[in-house]
Amino acid sequence: MESKPPVLLTGPHYWDGDFACAEGAIAAGCRFLAGYPITPSTEVAERIAERFPLVGGTFIQMEDELASMAAVLGAAWAGARAMTVTSGPGFSLMQENIGLGVMTETPCVVVDVQRGGPSTGLPTLTGQQDMMQARWGSHGDYEIIALSPSSPQECFDLIITSFNLSEKYRVPVMFMMDECVGHMTERVVVPALSSIKVRHRRWYRGARDKYHPYVPAKDGVPPIVKAGDDYRFHITGLTHDQRGYPVINAECQHQCVSRLVGKIKDNTDRIVILEEDRTEDAEVVVVSYGISYRVATRAIDLARQQGIKVGSLRLVTVWPFPERRIIELAKKVKCLVMPEINMGQVFLEMERCASCFCRTRLVPHCGGWVHDPNDILKAILKGVKS
Amino acid sequence: MKRLDVTLGQDLRHPLEEYLRMDRIPHVWCPGCGIGTTLNAFLTAVKKSGIPRKDIAVVSGIGCSGRAAGYVKLDSFHTTHGRAIPFATGLKLANPKLTVVVFAGDGDLLAIGGNHLIHAARRNMDINIICINNFNYAMTGGQFSPTTPEKARLTTAPYGSYEHPFNVPFLVDSCGATYVARWTALHVRRLTNSILEALHHPGFSFIEVISSCPTVYARRNRLGTGLDLLKFYRDNSVIKNGANTRECDIRFQEQLIVGKFVDQEKPTYHDTMTEYLSQSVGKRYVPYQGPMQGKEEDGN
Ligand SMILES: Cc1ncc(C[n+]2csc(CCOP(=O)(O)OP(=O)(O)O)c2C)c(N)n1
Ligand code: SF4
């Protein structure tokens, strides 16, 4: 018998971030992707279209991003690990159904390879301008999880983490890449299948006739079932009770929304992934994420060469925001500096947490390219004087 | 367990009780509304079809019609306005064994969701659409919709609508739907049969149900009660099976051409995809293995 191609291409490769993201999704067990082409994310879908027929996945190019997101939710409820991939304009179109995903607690992943906006903006050039849209893009109150990779290797590794978090917390996870990371080609090492940890879905294990879709476990997250297994359940985007039935009143709204928010908020410390470097003696800490983290590292090195005590806090998860750690650092440093390829988005959260305790400095950038490390260095120098 | 009314000696169980969420009854629909009748026809067809209840999923959009998903004791999804078809597409592709039914309104399917409708038809996606056409957006209080006949009055067309409505069977037919029928809420038996055929039909099926909306559409247009609307359907429907869909336009309070218009065999999206890929990818092709099985080791 001819051997089937391996699911995982274990070994070293020279891949761009988009390819690595696609391969990481396959490694995470993703077998359904619905998408609509958009620069600079298209290569993810292209890679998936090529690879899925070899690994037992279904790819469909939908008619738009509204459809893509809806199809992902449908596939997830049929029991598939599902994702979609897009960039700014498509991300905007997905928002209503991301909200449905939040409300119905549907595990799935949304990849946004960010480009400069607003509107069609800079289709081929980088930006980090969808960070607040990831957080608040759909209407209503909710909490979300968002990760931001800084390299093609992390596009592979962290998309797996994203799927795992989406399963654990039953929430759509936003994978916030950017054009730079998506199109940069670097060494990516795919580990052996056995060393990849994939979290299973939180399948309901109780009696069939006792199943209610929204009875939470201790951590606030309800176990799940899938269509076709004779639970004959109902889910709705309307405010609902534990049976999943619509109940249109303030009490039910309170219960429903406070649990949706609480299951993320109360587990923030478990969800948050941070990387810290040289913060022990730091007078200034540069807080950054995604591609900006790598530029910040250069600025930090330059500052250290001048004898300035500066450290780095990298947000691997951007949402939920790591309030606790920011406050701790703010209490011991003179200044927190944040470079972002936007006019100040995640910075607002940092400022909210830190401004009682230390100074904060934004290094904005309108998009189209990454920061000049010297601009970050200048902010560090100003910060250390304050 | 049978509940017996001792005084009357009658079995008071609803004949479709096993298909209904009895704990959600009474429903929201108005007296004289055609949606309940259509739901009844649908569930009767489901019962007759012999398809196990666990294998049927219902997806609804938003609207009076969209509430249907909430009353059926089947896997049921009340999604967002206009997106029932793509949600159903994901559901079907991720578990091809399911029979997937979309139950939604004319506004949902033809206005906000129109793009999805034409593409699902083009793909011959194996899903079944039941379209409640009550000629208006009822849930939001009676605005005109893409099917509102010219001259009919609605809240956002207070002097009568001057837009050209869709000829719905013609639209879906020309996009590639492989089963197309239209009935009214009066034609319960024929409607039930059509739904039954559609459930067994491989590929994209579309059933338009001209449905009475006494509360909004009829009141605005002084057309009387639900019963008056049914009488109108009786007196003005012309059954023309196999009619050219191009000739199925609906004009305000004029004749209604109903019947089964299209019933043809064509490979479904899923069949085309798997056949094509197994030819072009060859032995290396690994078809989709179905959804995760609900076991601990689900993963890669
Ligand atoms: C995105 C969005 N836009 C608008 C609405 C408001 N809305 C709810 S139902 C509806 C129209 C329903 O009309 P139709 O689909 O014909 O169903 P009917 O109520 O007539 O059965 C509208 C516009 C919504 N829920 N979502
Ligand atoms: S408003 Fe019209 S469509 Fe809605 S339930 Fe009442 S009669 Fe039916």
Side-chain angles (χ1 to χ4, degrees):
Chain A
M1 217 182 86
E2 184 171 340
S3 66
K4 295 283 182 194
V7 169
L8 225 62
L9 306 174
T10 301
H13 300 270
Y14 199 53
W15 278 341
D16 73 10
D18 282 359
F19 264 46
C21 169
E23 291 294 332
I26 291 168
C30 173
R31 293 294 179 271
F32 183 89
L33 187 139
Y36 188 82
I38 184 167
T39 306
S41 76
T42 310
E43 292 88 337
V44 181
E46 287 172 346
R47 179 70 172 178
I48 288 282
E50 192 182 327
R51 288 273 284 138
F52 263 11
L54 309 178
V55 302
T58 292
F59 162 75
I60 182 168
Q61 181 169 302
M62 295 301 286
E63 50 277 14
D64 57 29
E65 290 86 349
L66 302 138
S68 303
M69 191 61 218
V72 162
L73 298 179
W77 280 102
R81 222 180 285 268
M83 81 168 188
T84 183
V85 50
T86 189
S87 184
F91 196 49
S92 296
L93 289 185
M94 286 178 184
Q95 293 302 327
E96 188 192 8
N97 284 301
I98 290 175
L100 179 65
V102 168
M103 189 62 147
T104 54
E105 304 184 57
T106 309
C108 59
V109 172
V110 179
V111 178
D112 177 4
V113 188
Q114 297 172 87
R115 62 195 224 182
S119 190
T120 313
L122 300 171
T124 56
L125 299 178
T126 201
Q128 293 179 318
Q129 300 168 345
D130 303 346
M131 298 310 295
M132 276 298 178
Q133 196 183 8
R135 173 67 188 84
W136 297 110
S138 200
H139 53 282
D141 268 319
Y142 62 97
E143 289 279 331
I144 202 88
I145 299 177
L147 286 82
S148 177
S150 298
S151 66
Q153 180 70 54
E154 287 190 350
C155 290
F156 183 92
D157 297 338
L158 292 178
I159 190 103
I160 301 173
T161 311
S162 299
F163 273 103
N164 289 347
L165 287 167
S166 82
E167 296 293 355
K168 182 159 188 204
Y169 294 101
R170 280 190 61 181
V171 69
V173 169
M174 307 294 118
F175 194 58
M176 305 303 286
M177 292 169 53
D178 63 74
E179 187 277 334
C180 245
V181 167
H183 283 166
M184 111 188 350
T185 302
E186 283 184 340
R187 186 179 149 93
V188 177
V189 180
V190 176
L193 187 63
S194 55
S195 66
I196 292 176
K197 287 216 158 35
V198 174
R199 200 175 205 295
H200 60 81
R201 196 153 281 188
R202 299 177 63 142
W203 299 114
Y204 171 75
R205 303 256 166 250
R208 185 165 265 113
D209 54 338
K210 298 263 166 15
Y211 178 71
H212 290 311
Y214 296 111
V215 179
K218 272 202 201 92
D219 62 354
V221 186
I224 194 167
V225 299
K226 63 185 167 71
D229 282 355
D230 210 14
Y231 288 94
R232 294 187 285 140
F233 60 93
H234 178 64
I235 62 155
T236 174
L238 286 168
T239 294
H240 46 262
D241 62 15
Q242 294 195 335
R243 295 171 301 173
Y245 291 177
V247 179
I248 309 302
N249 64 37
E251 292 95 276
C252 190
Q253 170 76 354
H254 176 77
Q255 276 170 19
C256 188
V257 175
S258 52
R259 190 177 59 71
L260 288 179
V261 168
K263 74 174 179 180
I264 306 294
K265 237 184 183 161
D266 301 345
N267 289 309
T268 298
D269 287 346
R270 284 187 199 89
I271 298 167
V272 162
I273 306 168
L274 298 171
E275 275 177 18
E276 264 183 64
D277 183 31
R278 293 173 276 181
T279 51
E280 307 79 23
D281 65 343
E283 292 183 325
V284 174
V285 168
V286 181
V287 183
S288 62
Y289 60 89
I291 191 63
S292 303
Y293 159 73
R294 293 177 70 167
V295 183
T297 306
R298 171 77 184 142
I300 292 166
D301 289 345
L302 291 172
R304 280 271 170 185
Q305 280 164 20
Q306 297 183 22
I308 296 163
K309 290 177 176 160
V310 52
S312 162
L313 177 74
R314 182 195 160 199
L315 314 179
V316 178
T317 50
V318 177
W319 310 121
F321 193 70
E323 276 181 26
R324 199 172 55 78
R325 189 60 192 143
I326 293 286
I327 292 171
E328 281 167 10
L329 286 172
K331 283 181 177 164
K332 53 178 242 190
V333 301
K334 286 186 182 164
C335 183
L336 293 177
V337 172
M338 182 178 284
E340 288 189 277
I341 309 177
N342 59 48
M343 299 308 278
Q345 295 193 9
V346 182
F347 174 76
L348 298 175
E349 272 294 90
M350 184 177 84
E351 194 179 40
R352 176 180 69 77
C353 299
S355 58
C356 298
F357 308 109
C358 75
R359 303 260 231 138
T360 54
R361 265 183 194 283
L362 168 70
V363 191
H365 192 306
C366 292
W369 194 225
V370 295
H371 289 84
D372 181 338
N374 286 309
D375 292 339
I376 305 174
L377 179 64
K378 274 182 216 149
I380 296 171
L381 294 175
K382 281 188 191 150
V384 82
K385 283 197 197 108
S386 54
Chain B
M1 209 174 40
K2 281 194 170 186
R3 265 188 266 127
L4 288 178
D5 184 309
V6 182
T7 39
L8 298 170
Q10 278 176 332
D11 184 350
L12 287 185
R13 276 198 329 168
H14 191 284
L16 291 166
E17 197 172 287
E18 57 197 316
Y19 294 89
L20 286 166
R21 292 184 192 280
M22 297 307 287
D23 51 351
R24 289 217 58 213
I25 307 291
H27 55 67
V28 295
W29 297 312
C30 311
C33 175
I35 301 174
T37 314
T38 307
L39 184 66
N40 185 55
F42 164 56
L43 292 177
T44 306
V46 167
K47 194 172 180 175
K48 281 190 184 164
S49 74
I51 302 169
R53 286 174 299 176
K54 72 178 182 60
D55 293 335
I56 302 189
V58 177
V59 185
S60 278
I62 302 294
C64 295
S65 323
R67 288 304 187 99
Y71 300 121
V72 297
K73 185 89 182 94
L74 300 167
D75 290 334
S76 55
F77 303 90
H78 185 222
T79 63
T80 42
H81 193 33
R83 314 302 159 209
I85 288 179
F87 189 101
T89 298
L91 201 59
K92 177 71 186 175
L93 289 178
N95 185 352
K97 287 188 196 134
L98 292 174
T99 298
V100 178
V101 178
V102 169
F103 197 113
D106 51 305
D108 197 283
L109 293 166
L110 291 146
I112 192 165
N115 197 28
H116 312 311
L117 176 72
I118 62 177
H119 286 280
R122 172 180 65 80
R123 295 181 181 116
N124 199 23
M125 192 58 68
D126 189 11
I127 55 179
N128 311 285
I129 316 290
I130 298 173
C131 172
I132 298 282
N133 183 1
N134 51 20
F135 301 132
N136 78 118
Y137 296 143
M139 178 62 105
T140 38
Q143 296 76 36
F144 74 94
S145 86
T147 59
T148 301
E150 282 173 57
K151 299 192 182 67
R153 285 168 192 255
L154 285 151
T155 60
T156 47
Y159 307 107
S161 173
Y162 40 81
E163 288 197 10
H164 307 305
F166 273 130
N167 169 350
V168 184
F170 178 50
L171 173 73
V172 290
D173 180 13
S174 59
C175 292
T178 44
Y179 186 101
V180 182
R182 173 197 276 160
W183 299 105
T184 75
L186 178 79
H187 298 91
V188 181
R189 192 170 47 81
R190 290 184 164 90
L191 173 62
T192 308
N193 284 342
S194 264
I195 298 175
L196 183 59
E197 283 183 0
L199 288 173
H200 288 304
H201 173 83
F204 187 87
S205 70
F206 190 98
I207 297 172
E208 180 186 11
V209 187
I210 306 299
S211 178
S212 47
C213 171
T215 308
V216 200
Y217 182 78
R219 190 167 56 89
R220 286 262 154 201
N221 289 288
R222 302 184 192 287
L223 303 177
T225 63
L227 192 61
D228 293 325
L229 291 169
L230 292 184
K231 282 184 187 150
F232 176 82
Y233 300 155
R234 184 195 61 198
D235 299 339
N236 294 277
S237 298
V238 183
I239 298 177
K240 278 193 193 169
N241 291 315
N244 181 350
T245 53
R246 195 179 273 278
E247 284 147 23
C248 292
D249 281 305
I250 293 178
R251 292 190 189 79
F252 186 55
Q253 292 301 96
E254 290 183 22
Q255 82 165 11
L256 294 163
I257 297 173
V258 296
K260 178 168 82 174
F261 307 133
V262 178
D263 187 356
Q264 67 188 43
E265 275 179 40
K266 194 168 126 186
T268 66
Y269 178 88
H270 186 262
D271 293 346
T272 315
M273 174 178 71
T274 40
E275 261 177 59
Y276 188 84
L277 287 175
S278 52
Q279 275 171 25
S280 64
V281 180
K283 286 188 178 141
R284 297 187 327 143
Y285 177 48
V286 181
Y288 178 67
Q289 312 280 297
M292 294 185 280
Q293 288 308 303
K295 300 198 184 90
E296 298 292 325
E297 60 275 18
D298 282 339
N300 33 40

